[in-house]
Amino acid sequence: MALTLDDVDRFEAARPRLGAIAYRLLGSASEAEDAVQETFLRWQAADVDRVEVPEAWLTKVLTNLCLNQLTSARARRETYVGQWLPEPLLAGDPMLGPADTAEQRESVSFAVLAVLERLSPGERAVYVLREAFGYPHREIAEILDLTEAASQQIFHRAKQHVAAGKARTEVDEAAARRVVEEFLAAATSGRTEPLVRLLTQDAVSIGDGGGKIPARAKAFEGALAVAKFLRGLFRPSKAKRSLVGGSPEVYASTANGDPAVVAVVAGRVVGVMCLEVTAEGIAGFRNQVNPDKLERATRRWAASDHGEPLLHAF
C-alpha cells in the first residue's frame, strides 16, 4: 500500500530516535543510516493501517535489522586491518540522541561503545534500549521476543559489564576545551614529561586507520609509552603532511561527548582524537583516522561554527 503523507511524517518524526538507537547498536553512523533506510522500506511495504503502535513497530524492525547486521559485522571485524573503532560523532550531531541524563550521555561515549563491543548482540540491544532510551522491560521483551524476566536479567548482566569498564568523568564544553588545550600544549612541547603528568599510569592509545592510513595494530599501553607516541605524533614531518594532504588545522571540540582534538585539512576532517578523562587524568586516546569513518564528521564540520584553530600541526 502507498504511504500517505501522514505515514511518511510519522516515520520522519521517528527517524532521529531510530538513527540514535542504530548508531549505539552498530557503532557505525553509515551502517546506522542504512538500517534506518531499510526500516523505512519495510514501513513502506507494510499495511500501516494495521500497525497499532507505529513507534514500537519501527523500533522492533530497526533493532532486529541491527542485530542481523551485528552478526555479520563481527565476522568482518575479525579481518579488519588493525584496531577497529566506532565512527566519531561531533558535537551537535543528531545521531548522538538523547542527552538528558548521565546514563544517556555515557551510552554514546567511546569508552562505553568499546565495552559494548564485547557484549553479545542481545545484551547490547537490551542495554541500549533500556539505559539510553528508557524503554520498559515489557516493551524490550516484545521488541526482542523475550520474556520480561529475561530482559531484566540480561540488562543486569550487561550493566555490570559496562560499569566494570567505565571510568569516564563528564566534562562540560568549556572544561573539554581546557583539557584539549592543556593536552596540546604538552604534546607540542617536544618533551615527554609534561604529557606523562597528564596521563594515568595505565593510559592507552588506540588508532583506527582501516588499512588506509598507517596506524599501529596494537595499542600503546602505559603512561610513558603513550606519551612517547603522542610526542612523536605532533612532531613536524614532511611525510605526515604528504599523507594527509597538507598541514592540519587543529581544533578543540567534543566527539561522542568526550573532549576531542579535530584535525582538518582544507575543510576535510582527517583525524578525530577522543580523550577519555578520569579523576586521575587522561586514561585513553581513541584516534580515528580511517577516511571512510570521517565522512560524516566532515559534513558536520562544514555545517558548524568551530571557531579558530588552536594550532597548525606537522
Side-chain angles (χ1 to χ4, degrees):
M1 296 178 63
L3 294 180
T4 67
L5 289 177
D6 285 345
D7 295 331
V8 174
D9 288 344
R10 191 173 292 118
F11 181 86
E12 291 303 321
R15 183 185 290 273
R17 178 180 53 82
L18 296 174
I21 292 172
Y23 173 75
R24 284 165 171 79
L25 290 176
L26 300 173
S28 166
S30 59
E31 290 179 3
E33 289 175 336
D34 290 344
V36 172
Q37 184 58 28
E38 179 61 28
T39 301
F40 175 74
L41 295 177
R42 302 285 179 92
W43 177 246
Q44 195 173 37
D47 184 355
V48 297
D49 289 338
R50 300 182 63 183
V51 176
E52 294 183 6
V53 185
E55 179 181 291
W57 189 95
L58 292 169
T59 303
K60 183 181 179 76
V61 170
L62 175 92
T63 301
N64 283 286
L65 285 169
C66 288
L67 289 177
N68 292 337
Q69 181 73 6
L70 275 174
T71 302
S72 61
R74 289 189 172 214
R76 291 199 307 274
R77 286 169 196 172
E78 289 179 1
T79 60
Y80 191 81
V81 178
Q83 299 278 344
W84 184 94
L85 290 174
E87 283 186 57
L89 299 181
L90 298 183
D93 193 311
M95 203 172 274
L96 288 169
D100 297 328
T101 68
E103 289 78 13
Q104 289 173 335
R105 293 188 292 273
E106 286 172 346
S107 71
V108 78
S109 72
F110 262 36
V112 168
L113 289 176
V115 177
L116 293 182
E117 282 294 308
R118 300 197 290 269
L119 301 183
S120 71
E123 289 173 331
R124 188 166 183 162
V126 170
Y127 179 85
V128 166
L129 291 172
R130 177 64 182 163
E131 190 79 343
F133 295 90
Y135 280 87
H137 285 291
R138 174 182 53 79
E139 292 185 23
I140 295 173
E142 292 173 357
I143 290 170
L144 298 176
D145 295 323
L146 303 168
T147 65
E148 190 171 344
S151 177
Q152 292 170 337
Q153 291 172 354
I154 292 170
F155 175 70
H156 178 70
R157 186 167 64 243
K159 193 166 185 177
Q160 284 183 319
H161 285 304
V162 173
K166 182 176 62 180
R168 174 177 176 263
T169 297
E170 282 199 271
V171 295
D172 59 24
E173 187 175 343
R177 183 178 180 87
R178 289 194 298 271
V179 169
V180 172
E181 288 175 342
E182 187 176 8
F183 162 69
L184 288 175
T188 57
S189 68
R191 297 184 295 124
T192 303
E193 294 77 11
L195 278 167
V196 171
R197 287 196 292 270
L198 294 179
L199 309 180
T200 62
Q201 286 302 306
D202 59 352
V204 297
S205 179
I206 302 170
D208 179 348
K212 300 187 176 184
I213 297 292
R216 180 182 163 102
K218 185 179 179 181
F220 291 93
E221 299 181 353
L224 185 58
V226 171
K228 287 181 177 179
F229 161 68
L230 293 170
R231 184 190 64 187
L233 180 65
F234 283 90
R235 184 179 296 127
S237 161
K238 183 178 180 181
K240 293 174 188 172
R241 292 192 295 272
S242 177
L243 184 65
V244 299
S247 178
E249 296 177 330
V250 177
Y251 296 83
S253 186
T254 61
N256 294 68
D258 290 323
V261 178
V262 180
V264 181
V265 174
R268 177 173 54 92
V269 175
V270 297
V272 176
M273 175 187 287
C274 290
L275 281 58
E276 182 183 340
V277 179
T278 71
E280 292 74 36
I282 303 174
F285 297 85
R286 292 179 174 85
N287 314 311
Q288 184 56 261
V289 292
N290 182 345
D292 293 343
K293 296 184 180 181
L294 294 172
E295 293 178 358
R296 184 181 181 92
T298 294
R299 295 196 301 270
R300 180 70 200 171
W301 192 257
S304 66
D305 180 13
H306 35 71
E308 295 297 318
L310 296 178
L311 58 90
H312 286 76
F314 311 159

